[in-house]
Amino acid sequence: METILEVTELQLSFKHGKKQHKALDGVSFKVHKGKTVGFIGPNGAGKTTTLHVLLGFLSPDSGAATILGEDTSTATSRARIGYLSEHPEAYKYMTGREYLRMTGKLFGLAKTARNSRVDQLLEDVELAEHGDKRIATYSRGMLQRVGIAQALINDPELLILDEPTNGLDPVGRMKIRKLIEDLKARGKTIFFSSHELSEIETVCDEIIMIANGRVVKQGTLEELIG
C-alpha cells in the first residue's frame, strides 16, 4: 500500500519565559493513499502543531515529515496539499466564486479550467446558489464549506483539515461529514484533526491518537476499541 504521508520522530519545543515546552515528543505515523485518517486528542495535545509542521509553517527541532517521499518544507510538496485551518478566514468583500477563482489563479490554473473547476466545486460543497453572494453574508457552516472548496482547488493528493466541524451546529456538522464521506468515496486521501471521537469514528478508516505531544495509538476503530 502506497504511503502518501510519513512522519518520523518529530521533536519540537517552544520557549515560554525561561522554560522549554515540548510540544512534540517523537511523533511518528504513516498515512496510506486513499485512506481517511482521524488525528484525535485533547486540546493542547499537539495536533495543530503537527499539522503546521506538515504544512511547512513550523520547522521541527529534529525528525522528518514527507509527502510521497518529499520533505514537507518544500514548495513542490506543499503544492500537493489542500488545507483548511481550524479558523478559516477569507476576503469577506469577495463573493465565494471570486475567492475560489483567485485561489485557482494562485495555483496557476488557466482561466477556462479555473472557471470550470470553481463551478464544479461550488456544486460539490452545496454552495452553487450562493456562489455570487459576498462571503460576509455566509454562515459559519458555509464558510467552512467554501474553505474546503479552496482546499480542493488544486486537486490535491492530500487534504488536511484542522477541526473541520468545530463551532458548527448539528446541521453544519452533518454537511461537513457528508462532504468528507463524498471525498472519501472518490478516493481522496484525507487527514483531519478533532478532539471529538464522534466526529472521527463515523468517517475514518484509521485513527491516530495523540496526547502530550506523543502518538499513543494508531489503528482502525475496531482495533482500538478491541
Side-chain angles (χ1 to χ4, degrees):
M1 190 176 295
E2 186 176 8
T3 298
I4 194 166
L5 172 63
E6 184 168 5
V7 173
T8 308
E9 290 294 323
L10 287 182
Q11 302 272 355
L12 181 61
S13 296
F14 296 108
K15 192 170 184 179
H16 288 283
K18 295 182 179 180
K19 295 183 178 180
Q20 289 282 335
H21 168 66
K22 184 163 280 191
L24 302 180
D25 188 11
V27 171
S28 297
F29 59 82
K30 292 182 180 181
V31 174
H32 295 112
K33 190 171 184 177
K35 295 294 184 181
T36 299
V37 178
F39 193 42
I40 189 167
N43 291 329
K47 300 188 301 298
T48 296
T49 302
T50 301
L51 298 192
H52 285 181
V53 171
L54 301 184
L55 295 158
F57 298 161
L58 293 173
S59 298
D61 299 330
S62 61
T66 60
I67 293 176
L68 293 172
E70 186 170 4
D71 193 282
T72 57
S73 64
T74 65
T76 52
S77 171
R78 291 196 294 272
R80 305 167 93 166
I81 298 174
Y83 171 58
L84 175 70
S85 68
E86 181 178 1
H87 303 291
E89 293 291 341
Y91 295 108
K92 294 185 178 180
Y93 61 87
M94 287 184 167
T95 66
R97 190 181 308 279
E98 288 169 342
Y99 176 59
L100 294 178
R101 284 177 176 171
M102 179 197 71
T103 306
K105 190 173 183 179
L106 290 173
F107 275 102
L109 298 182
K111 185 175 181 179
T112 301
R114 183 167 72 237
N115 291 344
S116 176
R117 180 73 174 155
V118 167
D119 290 344
Q120 183 59 58
L121 286 171
L122 287 171
E123 289 281 353
D124 291 346
V125 300
E126 299 183 12
L127 287 176
E129 62 184 76
H130 303 287
D132 295 312
K133 296 178 181 177
R134 293 190 184 278
I135 292 174
T137 68
Y138 283 11
S139 67
R140 175 66 189 270
M142 292 166 69
L143 187 60
Q144 291 287 87
R145 282 182 280 144
V146 81
I148 291 178
Q150 67 80 26
L152 291 167
I153 196 77
N154 59 322
D155 195 20
E157 291 169 86
L158 175 65
L159 185 63
I160 296 177
L161 310 176
D162 192 1
E163 302 277 2
T165 62
N166 191 32
L168 299 184
D169 61 25
V171 174
R173 286 172 179 253
M174 180 186 68
K175 286 182 179 292
I176 296 297
R177 282 198 298 266
K178 180 181 181 300
L179 183 54
I180 292 173
E181 288 170 349
D182 290 345
L183 292 168
K184 175 182 174 180
R186 296 179 201 172
K188 283 291 182 187
T189 305
I190 305 168
F191 183 70
F192 76 95
S193 73
S194 179
H195 62 274
E196 297 183 32
L197 182 59
S198 61
E199 294 300 322
I200 295 272
E201 62 184 350
T202 56
V203 295
C204 287
D205 301 305
E206 296 180 10
I207 296 173
I208 299 169
M209 293 183 174
I210 185 171
N212 299 317
R214 298 180 181 181
V215 171
V216 293
K217 290 284 185 181
Q218 178 173 5
T220 65
L221 183 64
E222 293 78 10
E223 288 171 344
L224 296 184
I225 290 175

